Amino acid sequence: AAAAAVAAAAAAALLAAPLGARAFKAHEFKKCADAGFCARHREREARAEGESYRLEAWRGAGAGTQAGALPAAVGVVPAAALDGATLRAWVVDSAGAKLALDVTPYDGGYARVRLDEAEQPRYQVPDVLAADLGAHAAAPAAGVVTTVADGSGRLVTIVPLPPSAGRSGNGRPCTLRLAHSPLVVELSCGGEALVTLNAANRLEFERTRAEPDPDRDEEGMWAETFRGHEDTKPHGPQAVAIDVEFPGAKHMYGIPEHATSLALKPTKRGVSGESLGEPYRLYNLDVFEYLADSPFGLYGSIPLLLAHSARGGTAGLFWFNAAEMFVDVHEPTDAGSSAHWMTESGVMDLFLFPGPDMDAVWRQYAQVTSPTSLPPLFAIAYHQCRWNYKDEADVAAVDAGFDEHDIPYDVLWLDIEHTNGKRYMTWDSRHFPSPRRMQEEIAAKRRRMVTIVDPHVKRDPGFPMHKEAMEKNLYVKDKAGKDFDGWCWPGSSSYLDVVSKEVRDWWATKFSFEDYVGSTSNLFIWNDMNEPSVFNGPEVTMQKDNLHWGGAVGDASSQVEHRDVHNAFGLYYHMATAEGLRRRSEGTQRPFVLSRAFFSGTQKVGPIWTGDNTADWDHLAVSIPMLTTLSLTGLPFSGADVGGFFNNPDAELLTRWYQLGTYYPFFRGHAHQETKRREPWLFGEPYTGHIRAAIRERYALLPYIYTLFWGAAKNGTGIMNPMWVEFPQDESTFALEDQFMIGSSIMVAPVLKAGVSAVTPVFPAGSTWYHFPSGEAFPRGWGRGGNTVRVNLGDVPVFYRAGAIVPRRERARRSSDAMTADPYTLIVCADDEDNAEGVLYLDDGSSYAFEQGAYALVRFSLARESPTLLKLSGGVVDGTLDSELSIERIVLLGVGSVTKVALAGSGEELTSFSGPALMRTGVPANAVVIKKPDVRVTSSFGIDIEVKAS
């Protein structure tokens, strides 16, 4: 009781602390040496060959640990060792203890390698992997899985994989090779190894034991304490560790979330003597004012590690496990890159992706965990948020301010202060007495609102939500089986056990208009603090020995420890909330729910943001590798708080942040309650004008960005990507992190430091670009000023790729909804052969009708027909949507001197002239503009462009 009182007092002090007093305190969070499993395994020597894990025999279908062993010998692997598509084997350690090994190939060209305890299979978090994953398992043909003896006489089993094709469409033959003793798993394609497991013989699988063994146990195996919090570890040590190698690749990426470089840095000292000192940690935590360069784990975790090289392409390893992890990254050598991966508990469940490029890895990972859900159109427009807009009058004034200053926005957000005493899904009746009317007034301008709903429920017997959750036994339990009581914004709080599908289904019902009184169909949701954040818990989160319903609610035999599900908790809460909004519309409207915590699979639910960043230039810069890493790891719908959450940006920093935020997939301005107000117009001119231009540019690009989201929904592709994704052979891009691609057509090289008057982007070898909006071609020749781009405060160095066609909408409106009837502009960027291509995706922007084919995918192309004739064509290539929307303007870059433009077929001449690519003061006339061709965007059309012979 005394300890609880001290913790409660500390939490209350945290709530009351001023902004500056709550800065990041590293000592409050664990390092590897503080986590027993990491301390044990990080420095443990590799096993001697005689003590290695080895593949002992095949398991027959349904065989227990004492029966069904089939000899593993040279020749065709017996059919009885295959259970459908899965090859099943026994693996033993030096003491003869058995583990169950399953190897499954999939039709996407990748493989799954799963190692678990044989007698007591471990718990795995449900509803994370794609529901149809099993349908993609690819059973090998009879007789093709064989065992051979290698040159040293060691047995190696070879499992052929289906072809894996990249962007070029050419598949390459891949195999999974299982060396028996010691057990080594190698994914190879075209005869070259891409991923190797246990080559350094550091596989460890701590088997569950009923009681301690004083002769072999180490400190921290059965209990450990950190800053006064005891973790009882009733099941003892259950850690799993393995080494992974990417032969030939010197750059590794992924395993977010960390505020650090794009290419992962060494964490252990190597030849160069440089290292971070600490392994990368994956453990979802509420980190206040995080550092801008640290391997420290933040709000979310995606255990996907990637490697890339010019020769071998891109490969990846996904470890499906929601427990705490540490990853040591070793300094690369001429042989390639390697890492040592350690997790506290759970199963070794690894998916090996052969690529061969990032597009293929995205597609493979999406088949395992699902692709990105297509968001409603308003969700990718601009959002305005603050902790907190204080009342209905404040909301109305901010909304009016955008109109007064001709700045578009789509969504206005309310933080925790709008509630009745932090009771979520309620309203402070003094400050928000008419919430429905408030939302309807915003909606009348074709805009929307968002309210925050966090996972902690105020323990107030008079609060109906708390009362019902208690009565139905829906809360997470402490180690004694009582409702867990922790501190968060409301004070004493309990946490819904969303690991249980029963609880998630109950939570989804709470978003009905009857339950969420005062809500409307124009109100959407923000899930914060869902790591989960517990102010008086260890590391500001929940105790690992808390208990969740792993099966039916109330079934004590199904309970699982929080340590096994921690990194997925936020995903489950996010999932249940989104389902609630889907049910609210009776399944007709796409939900929008923002989450701070995330895990693999979050992409199928909704967007995330990078949490509590700071208003400084370092956090502006690090937002790029943070977001490009999320894009690489299958979570492209993400953004950083524009302007920085903490502290006060000056006018220059805020302007530059909006100019970068224009290209974030999720674009939101947000600020702490103790910062000065910073709505986009408050700094005055010229800053208001520059910020207005940045936000308007986002709206102009919505057709292009929405089309990228269609690609993410279809194939799992990224949106805000590192340069190397598009230029995989150019090694100068492999660690480049201060510029990036939006899709394949737009490169952004933002200003990331104060007082900058010029930037020098990296233009990958062999590529040509058009500076937008000037239309000037890059890279320049050496006699024309090199590649330096002069910038003033209003300039954003953005380049359109030669060979691309970018759709835009240029008319300034107050919101994305207000643009739905507007025509399109096409920016056609000719390459050296006068070719260009682009696509545009259209649907209703809100419903699921696209799933029944109510969409249009339009392909545009420019091609040279003869020395003096180019043809621009367009037509629907997929979908059934027929739109009346038209193309009102076509901008041609790099096509030379145009003499005549006419509609193909009719010969009707169209107006064309030399003019600016964008109708803005000061933009030079470096383009050819075709005015009002007035062809319907979904019609099949052709435009003949006559040019002077070159």
Side-chain angles (χ1 to χ4, degrees), residues 848-856 878-881:
Y848 288 99
F850 71 93
E851 294 181 345
Q852 282 70 53
Y855 66 89
D878 197 11
T880 62
L881 182 69

Side-chain angles (χ1 to χ4, degrees), residues 109-110 164-167 172 174 187 189 193-195 246-249 251-254 304-317 352-364 632-633 722-729 734:
Y110 57 93
S164 172
R167 186 178 294 190
R172 56 180 179 176
C174 298
L187 174 66
C189 296
L194 299 179
V195 186
F246 294 96
H251 293 84
M252 291 194 293
Y253 312 89
L304 173 60
L305 183 62
L306 303 165
H308 178 77
S309 68
R311 178 176 176 179
T314 311
L317 175 67
L352 284 67
F353 302 128
D357 55 23
M358 197 61 230
D359 279 5
V361 172
W362 274 323
R363 189 170 59 251
Q364 291 155 2
L632 286 176
T633 53
M723 295 294 296
W724 66 260
V725 171
E726 290 298 319
F727 301 95
Q729 299 298 311
F734 290 2

Side-chain angles (χ1 to χ4, degrees), residues 15-251:
L15 289 172
L19 179 59
R22 296 181 61 190
F24 177 72
K25 297 178 175 63
H27 66 278
E28 295 183 354
F29 299 96
K30 287 183 180 180
K31 295 183 177 179
C32 179
D34 302 311
F37 78 95
C38 187
R40 284 197 303 279
H41 290 284
R42 191 182 193 205
E43 302 303 332
R44 182 168 288 175
E45 296 293 329
R47 284 175 173 255
E49 187 162 336
E51 298 175 352
S52 304
Y53 288 85
R54 68 185 190 278
L55 193 158
E56 181 184 55
W58 305 117
R59 336 199 300 274
T65 58
Q66 304 303 321
L70 305 169
V74 170
V76 174
V77 171
L82 287 164
D83 184 5
T86 301
L87 178 65
R88 308 168 82 237
W90 293 121
V91 168
V92 298
D93 63 13
S94 57
K98 289 186 175 180
L99 297 171
L101 174 68
D102 290 340
V103 176
T104 309
Y106 290 86
D107 59 18
Y110 57 93
R112 183 179 192 175
V113 178
R114 189 177 185 279
L115 193 64
D116 195 2
E117 295 198 55
E119 297 179 346
Q120 294 179 282
R122 296 186 180 182
Y123 176 83
Q124 281 193 286
V125 288
D127 305 320
V128 172
L129 301 185
D132 65 346
L133 177 60
H136 293 285
V144 302
V145 180
T146 58
T147 300
V148 300
D150 66 11
S152 62
R154 184 175 62 167
L155 295 182
V156 179
T157 297
I158 302 171
V159 183
L161 301 179
S164 172
R167 186 178 294 190
S168 67
N170 298 320
R172 56 180 179 176
C174 298
T175 59
L176 198 70
R177 299 169 60 87
L178 308 175
H180 291 206
S181 182
L183 177 66
V184 176
V185 180
E186 178 188 280
L187 174 66
S188 61
C189 296
E192 293 192 19
L194 299 179
V195 186
T196 308
L197 305 175
N198 201 39
N201 217 2
R202 301 193 71 183
L203 170 63
E204 296 289 346
F205 199 113
E206 294 178 337
R207 299 175 71 246
T208 303
R209 292 183 275 138
E211 57 188 19
D213 181 349
D215 293 333
R216 61 172 178 164
D217 285 345
E218 301 174 26
E219 184 179 356
M221 281 187 166
W222 289 86
E224 64 182 67
T225 301
F226 180 73
R227 292 181 58 81
H229 295 279
E230 184 185 25
D231 177 9
T232 57
K233 299 192 178 181
H235 303 294
Q238 294 184 306
V240 185
I242 195 166
D243 57 276
V244 54
E245 293 182 0
F246 294 96
K250 293 189 176 183
H251 293 84

Side-chain angles (χ1 to χ4, degrees), residues 508-768:
T509 68
K510 296 304 169 185
F511 291 89
S512 69
F513 300 126
E514 294 76 21
D515 281 279
Y516 191 173
V517 177
S519 66
T520 71
S521 61
N522 290 297
L523 184 67
F524 296 84
I525 302 299
W526 169 19
N527 289 160
D528 197 1
M529 316 297 285
N530 54 334
E531 292 75 29
S533 177
V534 183
F535 290 160
N536 62 337
E539 301 189 273
V540 200
T541 193
M542 190 175 286
Q543 283 79 353
K544 289 182 176 179
D545 52 9
N546 278 359
L547 299 171
H548 297 268
W549 301 120
V553 169
D555 179 7
S557 67
S558 75
Q559 286 182 313
V560 296
E561 285 192 291
H562 183 72
R563 80 180 73 250
D564 295 320
V565 306
H566 175 85
N567 285 343
F569 183 90
L571 164 62
Y572 287 132
Y573 190 70
H574 194 194
M575 188 186 298
T577 304
E579 177 61 22
L581 294 191
R582 193 176 293 110
R583 292 185 188 184
R584 184 184 72 180
S585 72
E586 298 182 344
T588 64
Q589 300 297 304
R590 295 172 235 166
F592 171 76
V593 181
L594 179 73
S595 175
R596 188 170 69 178
F598 58 86
F599 186 58
S600 296
T602 288
Q603 71 276 4
K604 65 187 174 185
V605 183
I608 65 97
W609 91 107
T610 60
D612 298 344
N613 60 356
T614 300
D616 61 39
W617 292 92
D618 288 342
H619 276 85
L620 171 70
V622 82
S623 72
I624 297 176
M626 290 182 77
L627 296 178
T628 52
T629 295
L630 288 166
S631 193
L632 286 176
T633 53
L635 185 49
F637 197 6
S638 57
D641 283 344
V642 171
F645 180 65
F646 290 111
N647 300 339
N648 297 299
D650 61 25
E652 182 187 8
L653 174 59
L654 186 65
T655 300
R656 291 304 189 195
W657 214 317
Y658 269 100
Q659 291 169 342
L660 172 58
T662 297
Y663 303 94
Y664 288 166
F666 175 63
F667 184 22
R668 181 184 73 156
H670 186 37
H672 190 278
Q673 64 177 345
E674 294 180 23
T675 63
K676 298 175 182 178
R677 294 289 286 257
R678 60 169 92 139
E679 284 71 39
W681 53 88
L682 289 182
F683 280 98
E685 296 297 347
Y687 309 105
T688 297
H690 297 324
I691 293 172
R692 178 191 299 113
I695 296 175
R696 282 186 175 179
E697 179 64 12
R698 173 54 165 243
Y699 280 78
L701 281 172
L702 285 179
Y704 176 73
I705 296 173
Y706 193 54
T707 300
L708 296 181
F709 272 96
W710 165 80
K714 185 176 176 66
N715 298 311
T717 49
I719 292 173
M720 179 179 172
N721 301 323
M723 295 294 296
W724 66 260
V725 171
E726 290 298 319
F727 301 95
Q729 299 298 311
D730 190 334
E731 295 190 5
S732 71
T733 69
F734 290 2
L736 190 60
E737 61 183 27
D738 57 0
Q739 63 187 70
F740 57 91
M741 296 292 297
I742 293 295
S744 61
S745 301
I746 297 178
M747 180 176 76
V748 184
V751 176
L752 301 174
K753 295 181 180 179
V756 167
S757 60
V759 297
T760 305
V762 172
F763 294 100
S767 63
T768 302

Side-chain angles (χ1 to χ4, degrees), residues 799-810:
F799 303 85
Y800 286 17
R801 190 175 183 178
I805 298 178
V806 178
R808 295 169 57 95
R809 274 177 159 162
E810 302 292 2

